[in-house]
């Protein structure tokens, strides 16, 4: 039976019924493969800066970068929901800028957008939702705040921080978000946050008590140089690529490739 198209509304409706499995993808072939594998949502994450473009963090990712990658993923026509990250400083400057920039992502093929932050972006989320753009929140560790945090640190460890994570999730629900990513907080904090709202929480490095999980594709397939400790590697694609290319190089050097199968006289 052909899978039905997954929408932001269907993701919300999965809370309490079925765990939500999301993964990132940044291009046409991996979006096709992830979709065929049955993911519920594909995030075109600004993590692409680190795992694809070789940047130190996500701050250098531009809206133009995102538009190219969102369009590539959308061309795969996945049944999974396509969510696009809003890059650094494309929404913090206010709801009008956020709306203009989110609209560009939607025109490129995004079916929802994800800005980072909680209570401080309430008006941004409210505006986007009001004008028909589904918003996925992102609280806990916000990688776009790496400079002020001094690194990619676990959040929610103190009572004050834990309270903030929960209040942020509640604020995002109130502003109209259809789901919230919770990144790198203690499992007990993610559990409390999950139980405090009706929208699903989708966790990364935040334990098993959430409504779903999300991981970065390159961490899952063994293509990241520095995967975080909370990621799980399910394949060693780096080794597969290295071996394939090394075999090719060897065959070219030895004159084995191209053989008769690969050319015509
Ligand atoms: O950019 C990204 O890949 C993300 C995930 C880590 C949730 O935001």
């Amino acid at each position: 039976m052909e899978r039905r198209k997954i929408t932001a509304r269907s993701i919300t409706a999965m809370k309490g019924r079925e765990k939500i499995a999301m993964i990132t993808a940044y291009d046409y072939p991996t979006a096709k493969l992830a979709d065929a594998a049955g993911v519920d949502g594909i995030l075109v994450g600004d993590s692409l800066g680190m795992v694809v473009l070789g940047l130190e963090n996500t701050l250098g990712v531009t809206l133009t970068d995102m538009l190219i990658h969102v369009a590539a993923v959308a061309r795969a026509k996945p049944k999974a929901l396509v969510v696009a990250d809003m890059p650094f400083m494309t929404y913090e400057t206010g709801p009008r800028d956020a709306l203009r920039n989110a609209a560009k992502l939607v025109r490129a093929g995004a079916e929802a957008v994800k800005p980072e932050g909680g209570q401080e972006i309430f008006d941004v989320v409210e505006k986007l939702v009001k004008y028909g753009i589904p918003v996925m929140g992102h609280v806990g560790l916000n990688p776009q705040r790496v400079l002020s945090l001094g690194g990619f640190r676990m959040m929610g460890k103190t009572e004050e921080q834990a309270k903030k994570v929960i209040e942020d999730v509640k604020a995002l629900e109130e502003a109209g978000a259809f789901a919230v990513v919770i990144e790198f907080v203690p499992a007990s904090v993610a559990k409390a946050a999950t139980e405090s709202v009706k929208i699903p929480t989708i966790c990364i490095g935040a334990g098993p008590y959430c409504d779903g999980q999300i991981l970065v594709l390159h961490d899952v397939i063994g293509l990241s140089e520095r995967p975080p400790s909370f990621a799980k590697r399910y394949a060693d694609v780096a080794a597969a690529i290295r071996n394939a290319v090394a075999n090719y190089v060897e065959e070219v050097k030895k004159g084995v490739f191209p053989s008769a199968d690969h050319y015509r006289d």
Side-chain angles (χ1 to χ4, degrees), residues 184-249:
F184 207 19
V185 305
S188 56
V189 175
K191 182 172 190 285
T194 299
E195 287 168 358
S196 72
V197 288
K198 292 199 175 69
I199 55 172
T201 56
I202 300 172
C203 286
I204 174 161
Y209 308 114
C210 303
D211 299 303
Q213 298 290 326
I214 181 163
L215 282 176
V216 167
L217 175 74
H218 290 55
D219 297 339
V220 169
I221 64 175
L223 263 188
S224 298
E225 282 178 345
R226 285 167 292 151
S229 56
F230 53 71
K232 180 170 175 185
R233 198 181 81 184
Y234 288 80
D236 192 352
V237 169
I241 293 176
R242 245 189 334 263
N243 290 338
V245 177
N247 286 340
Y248 161 71
V249 170

Coordinates of all heavy atoms in Angstrom, one line a residue, residues 184-249:
F184 N 19.7 17.8 23.5 CA 20.7 17.7 24.4 C 20.4 18.3 25.8 O 21.0 19.2 26.3 CB 22.0 18.3 23.9 CG 23.3 17.7 24.5 CD1 23.3 16.5 25.1 CD2 24.5 18.4 24.4 CE1 24.5 15.9 25.6 CE2 25.7 17.9 24.9 CZ 25.7 16.6 25.5
V185 N 19.4 17.7 26.4 CA 19.0 18.0 27.8 C 18.9 16.6 28.5 O 18.7 15.6 27.9 CB 17.7 18.8 27.9 CG1 17.7 20.0 27.1 CG2 16.5 17.9 27.5
P186 N 18.9 16.6 29.9 CA 18.7 15.4 30.6 C 17.4 14.8 30.3 O 16.4 15.5 30.0 CB 18.8 15.8 32.1 CG 19.6 17.1 32.1 CD 19.2 17.8 30.8
A187 N 17.3 13.4 30.2 CA 16.1 12.7 29.9 C 14.9 13.1 30.8 O 13.8 13.2 30.3 CB 16.4 11.2 29.9
S188 N 15.2 13.3 32.1 CA 14.1 13.7 33.0 C 13.5 15.0 32.6 O 12.3 15.2 32.8 CB 14.7 13.7 34.4 OG 15.8 14.7 34.5
V189 N 14.3 15.9 32.1 CA 13.8 17.3 31.7 C 13.0 17.1 30.5 O 11.9 17.7 30.4 CB 15.0 18.2 31.5 CG1 14.5 19.6 31.0 CG2 15.8 18.4 32.8
A190 N 13.5 16.3 29.5 CA 12.7 16.1 28.3 C 11.4 15.4 28.6 O 10.3 15.7 28.0 CB 13.5 15.3 27.3
K191 N 11.4 14.5 29.6 CA 10.2 13.8 29.9 C 9.1 14.8 30.5 O 8.0 14.8 30.1 CB 10.5 12.7 31.0 CG 9.4 11.9 31.5 CD 9.9 10.7 32.3 CE 8.9 9.7 32.7 NZ 7.9 10.1 33.6
A192 N 9.6 15.6 31.4 CA 8.7 16.6 32.0 C 8.1 17.5 31.0 O 6.9 17.9 31.0 CB 9.4 17.4 33.1
A193 N 9.0 18.0 30.0 CA 8.5 18.9 29.0 C 7.5 18.1 28.1 O 6.5 18.7 27.7 CB 9.7 19.3 28.1
T194 N 7.8 16.9 27.8 CA 6.9 16.1 26.9 C 5.5 16.0 27.6 O 4.5 16.1 26.9 CB 7.5 14.7 26.6 OG1 8.7 14.9 26.0 CG2 6.6 13.8 25.8
E195 N 5.5 15.8 28.9 CA 4.2 15.6 29.6 C 3.5 16.9 29.8 O 2.3 16.9 30.2 CB 4.5 14.9 30.9 CG 4.9 13.4 30.7 CD 5.5 12.7 32.0 OE1 5.6 13.4 33.0 OE2 5.8 11.5 31.9
S196 N 4.2 18.0 29.6 CA 3.5 19.3 29.9 C 2.8 19.9 28.7 O 2.2 20.9 28.8 CB 4.5 20.3 30.4 OG 5.4 20.7 29.4
V197 N 2.9 19.2 27.5 CA 2.2 19.8 26.3 C 1.5 18.7 25.5 O 1.7 17.5 25.7 CB 3.3 20.5 25.4 CG1 3.8 21.8 25.9 CG2 4.4 19.5 25.0
K198 N 0.6 19.2 24.6 CA -0.2 18.3 23.8 C 0.5 18.1 22.4 O 0.1 17.2 21.6 CB -1.6 18.9 23.5 CG -2.4 18.9 24.8 CD -3.9 19.0 24.5 CE -4.8 18.9 25.7 NZ -4.7 20.1 26.6
I199 N 1.5 19.0 22.1 CA 2.2 18.8 20.8 C 3.4 17.8 21.0 O 3.9 17.7 22.1 CB 2.7 20.1 20.2 CG1 3.6 20.9 21.2 CG2 1.6 20.9 19.7 CD1 4.3 22.1 20.6
P200 N 3.8 17.1 20.0 CA 4.8 16.1 20.2 C 6.2 16.7 20.3 O 6.5 17.8 19.7 CB 4.8 15.3 18.9 CG 4.0 16.0 17.9 CD 3.2 17.0 18.6
T201 N 7.0 16.1 21.2 CA 8.4 16.5 21.3 C 9.3 15.5 20.6 O 9.0 14.3 20.6 CB 8.8 16.5 22.8 OG1 8.6 15.2 23.3 CG2 8.1 17.5 23.6
I202 N 10.2 16.0 19.8 CA 11.1 15.1 19.0 C 12.5 15.4 19.5 O 13.0 16.5 19.4 CB 10.9 15.5 17.5 CG1 9.4 15.2 17.2 CG2 11.8 14.6 16.6 CD1 9.0 15.7 15.8
C203 N 13.1 14.3 20.0 CA 14.4 14.6 20.8 C 15.6 14.2 20.0 O 15.6 13.3 19.2 CB 14.3 13.8 22.1 SG 13.2 14.7 23.2
I204 N 16.7 14.8 20.4 CA 18.0 14.5 19.9 C 19.0 14.6 21.1 O 19.1 15.7 21.7 CB 18.5 15.3 18.7 CG1 19.9 15.0 18.3 CG2 18.2 16.8 18.9 CD1 20.3 15.4 16.9
G205 N 19.5 13.5 21.6 CA 20.4 13.6 22.8 C 19.6 13.9 24.0 O 20.1 14.6 24.9
A206 N 18.3 13.6 24.1 CA 17.5 13.9 25.2 C 16.7 12.8 25.8 O 15.7 13.0 26.4 CB 16.6 15.1 24.9
G207 N 17.1 11.6 25.5 CA 16.5 10.4 26.1 C 15.3 9.8 25.4 O 14.9 10.3 24.3
P208 N 14.7 8.8 26.0 CA 13.7 8.0 25.4 C 12.2 8.4 25.6 O 11.3 7.8 25.1 CB 13.9 6.6 26.0 CG 14.4 6.9 27.3 CD 15.2 8.2 27.3
Y209 N 12.0 9.4 26.5 CA 10.7 9.7 26.9 C 9.9 10.7 26.1 O 8.9 11.2 26.4 CB 10.7 10.2 28.4 CG 11.5 9.3 29.3 CD1 12.6 9.8 29.9 CD2 11.0 8.0 29.6 CE1 13.4 8.9 30.8 CE2 11.8 7.2 30.4 CZ 12.9 7.6 31.0 OH 13.7 6.8 31.8
C210 N 10.5 11.0 24.9 CA 9.9 12.0 24.0 C 8.9 11.3 23.1 O 8.9 10.1 23.0 CB 11.0 12.7 23.2 SG 12.2 13.4 24.3
D211 N 8.2 12.1 22.3 CA 7.3 11.5 21.3 C 8.0 11.0 20.1 O 7.3 10.3 19.3 CB 6.2 12.5 21.0 CG 5.4 12.9 22.3 OD1 4.9 12.1 22.9 OD2 5.4 14.1 22.6
G212 N 9.2 11.4 19.9 CA 9.9 11.0 18.7 C 11.4 11.3 18.8 O 11.8 11.8 19.8
Q213 N 12.2 10.9 17.8 CA 13.6 11.1 17.8 C 14.0 11.7 16.4 O 13.4 11.4 15.4 CB 14.3 9.7 18.0 CG 14.1 9.0 19.3 CD 14.7 9.8 20.5 OE1 15.7 10.4 20.4 NE2 14.0 9.7 21.6
I214 N 15.1 12.4 16.5 CA 15.7 12.9 15.2 C 17.2 12.8 15.3 O 17.8 13.0 16.4 CB 15.3 14.4 14.9 CG1 15.9 14.8 13.6 CG2 15.6 15.3 16.1 CD1 15.3 16.1 13.0
L215 N 17.8 12.4 14.3 CA 19.3 12.3 14.2 C 19.8 13.0 12.9 O 19.0 13.1 11.9 CB 19.8 10.9 14.3 CG 19.8 10.2 15.7 CD1 20.3 8.8 15.6 CD2 20.7 11.0 16.7
V216 N 21.0 13.3 12.9 CA 21.7 13.9 11.7 C 22.1 12.7 10.8 O 22.8 11.8 11.3 CB 22.9 14.7 12.1 CG1 23.8 15.1 10.9 CG2 22.4 16.0 12.8
L217 N 21.7 12.7 9.6 CA 21.9 11.5 8.7 C 23.4 11.1 8.7 O 23.7 9.9 8.7 CB 21.5 11.9 7.2 CG 21.8 10.8 6.2 CD1 20.9 9.6 6.3 CD2 21.7 11.4 4.8
H218 N 24.3 12.1 8.6 CA 25.7 11.8 8.4 C 26.3 11.1 9.7 O 27.2 10.3 9.6 CB 26.5 13.0 8.0 CG 26.2 13.5 6.6 ND1 24.9 13.7 6.2 CD2 27.0 13.7 5.6 CE1 25.0 14.1 4.9 NE2 26.2 14.1 4.5
D219 N 25.7 11.4 10.8 CA 26.1 10.6 12.1 C 25.6 9.2 12.0 O 26.3 8.3 12.4 CB 25.5 11.3 13.3 CG 25.9 12.7 13.5 OD1 27.0 13.1 13.0 OD2 25.3 13.5 14.2
V220 N 24.4 9.0 11.5 CA 23.7 7.7 11.4 C 24.5 6.8 10.4 O 24.6 5.6 10.7 CB 22.3 7.8 11.0 CG1 21.6 6.5 10.6 CG2 21.5 8.5 12.1
I221 N 25.0 7.3 9.3 CA 25.6 6.5 8.3 C 27.1 6.5 8.4 O 27.8 5.9 7.5 CB 25.1 6.9 6.9 CG1 25.5 8.3 6.5 CG2 23.6 6.7 6.8 CD1 25.2 8.7 5.0
G222 N 27.7 7.1 9.4 CA 29.1 7.1 9.5 C 29.9 8.0 8.6 O 31.0 7.7 8.2
L223 N 29.3 9.1 8.3 CA 30.0 10.1 7.4 C 30.4 11.3 8.1 O 31.0 12.2 7.5 CB 29.1 10.5 6.2 CG 29.2 9.8 4.9 CD1 28.4 10.4 3.8 CD2 30.7 9.7 4.4
S224 N 30.2 11.5 9.4 CA 30.5 12.7 10.2 C 31.9 12.5 10.7 O 32.3 11.4 11.2 CB 29.6 12.9 11.3 OG 28.3 13.1 10.9
E225 N 32.7 13.6 10.7 CA 34.1 13.5 11.3 C 34.0 13.5 12.8 O 34.8 12.8 13.5 CB 34.9 14.7 10.8 CG 35.4 14.5 9.4 CD 36.2 15.7 8.8 OE1 36.1 16.8 9.4 OE2 36.9 15.5 7.8
R226 N 33.1 14.3 13.4 CA 33.0 14.4 14.8 C 31.5 14.2 15.3 O 30.9 15.2 15.7 CB 33.5 15.7 15.3 CG 35.0 15.9 15.3 CD 35.5 17.3 15.4 NE 35.1 18.1 14.3 CZ 34.8 19.4 14.3 NH1 34.8 20.1 15.4 NH2 34.5 20.0 13.2
P227 N 31.0 13.0 15.2 CA 29.6 12.8 15.7 C 29.5 13.0 17.2 O 30.4 12.7 17.9 CB 29.4 11.3 15.3 CG 30.7 10.7 15.2 CD 31.7 11.7 14.9
P228 N 28.4 13.6 17.6 CA 28.2 13.7 19.0 C 28.0 12.4 19.7 O 27.6 11.4 19.1 CB 26.9 14.6 19.1 CG 26.2 14.3 17.8 CD 27.2 14.0 16.8
S229 N 28.3 12.4 21.1 CA 28.2 11.1 21.8 C 26.8 10.5 21.8 O 26.7 9.3 21.9 CB 28.7 11.4 23.3 OG 27.8 12.4 23.8
F230 N 25.8 11.3 21.7 CA 24.4 10.8 21.8 C 23.9 10.2 20.5 O 22.9 9.6 20.4 CB 23.4 11.9 22.3 CG 23.5 13.2 21.5 CD1 23.0 13.2 20.2 CD2 23.9 14.3 22.1 CE1 23.0 14.4 19.5 CE2 24.0 15.5 21.4 CZ 23.5 15.6 20.1
A231 N 24.7 10.3 19.4 CA 24.2 9.8 18.1 C 24.6 8.3 18.0 O 25.6 7.8 18.7 CB 24.9 10.5 16.9
K232 N 23.9 7.5 17.2 CA 24.2 6.1 17.0 C 24.5 5.9 15.5 O 23.7 6.3 14.7 CB 23.0 5.3 17.4 CG 23.3 3.8 17.3 CD 22.2 2.9 17.9 CE 22.4 1.4 17.6 NZ 21.3 0.6 18.1
R233 N 25.6 5.2 15.3 CA 26.0 4.9 13.9 C 25.4 3.6 13.5 O 25.7 2.6 14.2 CB 27.5 4.9 13.8 CG 28.0 5.1 12.4 CD 29.5 5.0 12.3 NE 30.0 3.6 12.3 CZ 31.2 3.3 12.3 NH1 32.2 4.2 12.4 NH2 31.6 2.0 12.3
Y234 N 24.7 3.6 12.4 CA 24.0 2.3 12.0 C 24.7 1.8 10.7 O 24.4 0.7 10.3 CB 22.6 2.6 11.6 CG 21.7 2.8 12.8 CD1 21.6 4.0 13.4 CD2 20.9 1.7 13.3 CE1 20.8 4.2 14.5 CE2 20.1 1.9 14.4 CZ 20.0 3.2 15.0 OH 19.2 3.4 16.1
A235 N 25.7 2.5 10.1 CA 26.4 2.0 8.9 C 27.7 2.7 8.8 O 27.9 3.8 9.4 CB 25.5 2.3 7.7
D236 N 28.6 2.1 8.0 CA 29.9 2.8 7.8 C 30.1 3.1 6.4 O 30.8 2.5 5.6 CB 31.1 1.9 8.3 CG 32.4 2.6 8.4 OD1 32.5 3.8 7.9 OD2 33.4 2.0 8.9
V237 N 29.3 4.2 5.9 CA 29.3 4.6 4.5 C 30.7 5.2 4.2 O 31.1 5.1 3.0 CB 28.2 5.5 4.3 CG1 28.3 6.2 2.9 CG2 26.9 4.7 4.4
A238 N 31.4 5.8 5.2 CA 32.7 6.4 4.9 C 33.6 5.2 4.4 O 34.4 5.4 3.4 CB 33.3 7.0 6.1
A239 N 33.6 4.1 5.0 CA 34.5 3.0 4.6 C 34.1 2.5 3.2 O 34.9 2.2 2.4 CB 34.4 1.9 5.6
A240 N 32.8 2.4 3.0 CA 32.3 2.0 1.7 C 32.8 2.9 0.6 O 33.2 2.4 -0.5 CB 30.7 1.8 1.7
I241 N 32.7 4.2 0.8 CA 33.1 5.2 -0.2 C 34.7 5.1 -0.4 O 35.1 5.0 -1.6 CB 32.7 6.6 0.2 CG1 31.2 6.7 0.1 CG2 33.4 7.6 -0.8 CD1 30.7 8.1 0.6
R242 N 35.4 5.0 0.7 CA 36.9 4.9 0.6 C 37.3 3.7 -0.2 O 38.1 3.8 -1.1 CB 37.4 4.8 2.0 CG 38.3 6.0 2.4 CD 39.1 5.9 3.7 NE 38.5 5.0 4.6 CZ 37.7 5.3 5.7 NH1 37.4 6.6 5.8 NH2 37.3 4.5 6.5
N243 N 36.6 2.5 0.1 CA 37.0 1.3 -0.5 C 36.7 1.4 -2.0 O 37.5 0.9 -2.9 CB 36.3 0.1 0.1 CG 36.8 -0.2 1.5 OD1 37.9 0.2 1.8 ND2 36.0 -0.8 2.3
A244 N 35.5 1.9 -2.3 CA 35.1 1.9 -3.7 C 36.0 2.8 -4.5 O 36.5 2.5 -5.6 CB 33.6 2.5 -3.8
V245 N 36.4 4.0 -4.0 CA 37.2 4.9 -4.7 C 38.6 4.4 -4.8 O 39.3 4.5 -5.8 CB 37.2 6.3 -4.1 CG1 38.1 7.3 -4.8 CG2 35.7 6.9 -4.1
A246 N 39.1 3.7 -3.7 CA 40.4 3.1 -3.8 C 40.5 2.0 -4.8 O 41.5 1.9 -5.6 CB 40.8 2.6 -2.4
N247 N 39.5 1.2 -4.9 CA 39.4 0.2 -6.0 C 39.5 0.8 -7.4 O 40.2 0.3 -8.3 CB 38.2 -0.7 -5.9 CG 38.3 -1.6 -4.7 OD1 39.4 -1.9 -4.2 ND2 37.1 -2.1 -4.2
Y248 N 38.7 1.9 -7.6 CA 38.7 2.6 -8.8 C 40.1 3.1 -9.2 O 40.6 2.9 -10.3 CB 37.6 3.7 -8.8 CG 37.8 4.8 -9.8 CD1 37.5 4.5 -11.1 CD2 38.3 6.0 -9.5 CE1 37.7 5.5 -12.1 CE2 38.4 7.0 -10.4 CZ 38.1 6.7 -11.7 OH 38.3 7.7 -12.7
V249 N 40.7 3.8 -8.2 CA 42.0 4.3 -8.4 C 43.0 3.2 -8.8 O 43.8 3.3 -9.8 CB 42.5 5.1 -7.2 CG1 44.0 5.5 -7.3 CG2 41.7 6.3 -6.9

